[in-house]
Amino acid sequence: MSYILRGTAGENSDIRFFAAITTDLVEKARKIHNLSPTSSAALGRLLSAGVIMGCMLKGEEDNLTISLNGGGPIGNVMVSANSKGNIKGYVSNPQIDLPLNSKGKLDVGGAVGTNGTLNVIKDIGLKEPYVGQVPIKSGEIGDDLAYYFAISEQIPSAVDVGVLVDTDLSIKAAGSLIIQMMPDADPYLADIVTYRIKEIPPLTTLISDGKTAKDILNMLFDDMNLKILEKIDADYVCDCSKERVERALISLGKDELKKIKDQDLKDNNEKLEVCCHFCSNKYYFNRKDIERLIEES
Ligand SMILES: [Zn+2]
């Protein structure tokens, strides 16, 4: 089961952290979307960090969407998370697979590209959602999110994300670590944290060796007043339903619906298939259904 630990460290608790183990969650996404190894790494990294960013939201009903489009062959990489540890996502081209990069790693940066922006939209119950946008730095996702936190939210943050794909293409390990400095933290602390993250083995090595999030946090902060405050279950969940798809169709407007009725549903035996981007569930609508939606729109 995937999960997140939230807590603080430092003498005055001026470091806050989230550590997520997301192997199951990313494996679920891989199966739903039939992801190639490169796509597993790209979407898996964004899911692993995104599920944490969802838990940073304060309100029960709050949710957030993160999308990257860097002009690379994978197209759009998008996730949508709530504040309760649920997340879903997709990539435009799940089958895209690139040769390993010069470091021998899955080439997420090459797949995403660097000619575009990272967008974060937070719906926190206000009239207008919060929108943050930064240029994509490397397309490797961890760096890009750290840059987003620094520029858009003005919070110095370390973001470590990793996805390890096994030889049978299943997900062997996935996880993420987000560490943030409180506004009045000693700048020296940030240096210590940066040094320690570099000093420990890669996240995916630790997770595939069976280390828990608590083990990893102990490696980083055991002498730094480590406090684990909460454990949050995390999962890949889609909340689509026939009603939601109907509302999306209604939002297309009368003219568009009439076009669908006349072009795609000439007789009652034909069906319009609408496939959910996030979970691949299929919903079907016949001519009568569309007529009803035209009435309602
Ligand atoms: Zn769905």
Side-chain angles (χ1 to χ4, degrees):
M1 184 66 196
S2 297
Y3 65 95
I4 300 162
L5 294 184
R6 177 178 75 81
T8 60
E11 206 175 316
N12 307 310
S13 299
D14 34 19
I15 300 169
R16 78 160 178 170
F17 62 75
F18 294 82
I21 307 282
T22 52
T23 312
D24 298 350
L25 189 160
V26 176
E27 173 65 5
K28 201 164 165 183
R30 182 190 74 86
K31 283 190 178 151
I32 287 170
H33 298 292
N34 192 21
L35 299 169
S36 69
T38 312
S39 292
S40 283
L43 184 58
R45 286 183 195 176
L46 195 60
L47 286 167
S48 301
V51 76
I52 288 179
M53 289 171 68
C55 292
M56 289 175 171
L57 298 167
K58 300 207 167 60
E60 288 260 308
E61 302 298 319
D62 294 358
N63 63 69
L64 122 163
T65 300
I66 312 169
S67 64
L68 285 99
N69 196 330
I74 202 167
N76 203 29
V77 187
M78 198 262 225
V79 301
S80 173
N82 68 15
S83 60
K84 296 165 198 148
N86 293 337
I87 192 162
K88 56 187 180 176
Y90 71 89
V91 297
S92 308
N93 297 308
Q95 295 300 317
I96 192 76
D97 211 19
L98 300 181
L100 299 180
N101 66 18
S102 58
K103 290 178 189 156
K105 296 205 166 146
L106 290 166
D107 191 5
V108 172
V112 171
T114 53
N115 187 19
T117 54
L118 164 78
N119 300 290
V120 177
I121 301 170
K122 290 185 198 173
D123 185 354
I124 48 174
L126 304 173
K127 217 176 202 175
E128 297 291 325
Y130 162 92
V131 181
Q133 188 179 70
V134 292
I136 294 173
K137 294 299 266 185
S138 69
E140 295 285 341
I141 294 171
D143 301 344
D144 300 301
L145 290 171
Y147 187 66
Y148 159 79
F149 279 120
I151 301 298
S152 259
E153 301 201 4
Q154 276 109 46
I155 305 170
S157 310
V159 180
D160 192 3
V161 282
V163 174
L164 184 64
V165 178
D166 212 339
T167 44
D168 66 357
L169 307 189
S170 69
I171 306 303
K172 194 171 184 186
S176 161
L177 200 57
I178 300 184
I179 300 169
Q180 301 189 316
M181 296 298 144
M182 294 309 198
D184 42 8
D186 186 341
Y188 182 59
L189 262 184
D191 293 340
I192 298 176
V193 170
T194 309
Y195 174 77
R196 290 201 176 173
I197 291 173
K198 285 195 182 129
E199 205 187 28
I200 64 170
L203 208 48
T204 49
T205 306
L206 294 169
I207 296 167
S208 62
D209 283 351
K211 295 272 187 290
T212 63
K214 194 167 177 232
D215 294 334
I216 296 166
L217 291 166
N218 272 324
M219 293 171 85
L220 291 168
F221 300 123
D222 69 336
D223 57 348
M224 290 175 75
N225 190 28
L226 170 65
K227 286 182 196 154
I228 292 170
L229 302 174
E230 190 183 6
K231 182 180 176 183
I232 305 152
D233 289 333
D235 199 2
Y236 190 102
V237 177
C238 187
D239 49 359
C240 68
S241 63
K242 181 122 186 182
E243 290 70 39
R244 275 183 181 235
V245 176
E246 284 186 357
R247 264 181 275 149
L249 285 170
I250 288 171
S251 74
L252 293 173
K254 267 193 197 340
D255 290 347
E256 198 60 35
L257 288 173
K258 274 182 187 150
K259 228 191 261 172
I260 291 171
K261 188 181 98 173
D262 296 335
Q263 289 173 7
D264 303 329
L265 304 170
K266 291 200 179 69
D267 64 68
N268 260 327
N269 298 322
E270 286 183 290
K271 283 195 167 83
L272 174 73
E273 180 185 291
V274 180
C275 182
C276 174
H277 271 318
F278 294 105
C279 69
S280 299
N281 257 357
K282 292 183 171 67
Y283 297 91
Y284 296 95
F285 297 88
N286 62 21
R287 194 176 163 91
K288 280 219 171 86
D289 295 325
I290 298 297
E291 279 170 355
R292 177 170 54 82
L293 297 181
I294 291 171
E295 297 266 303
E296 287 175 29
S297 71

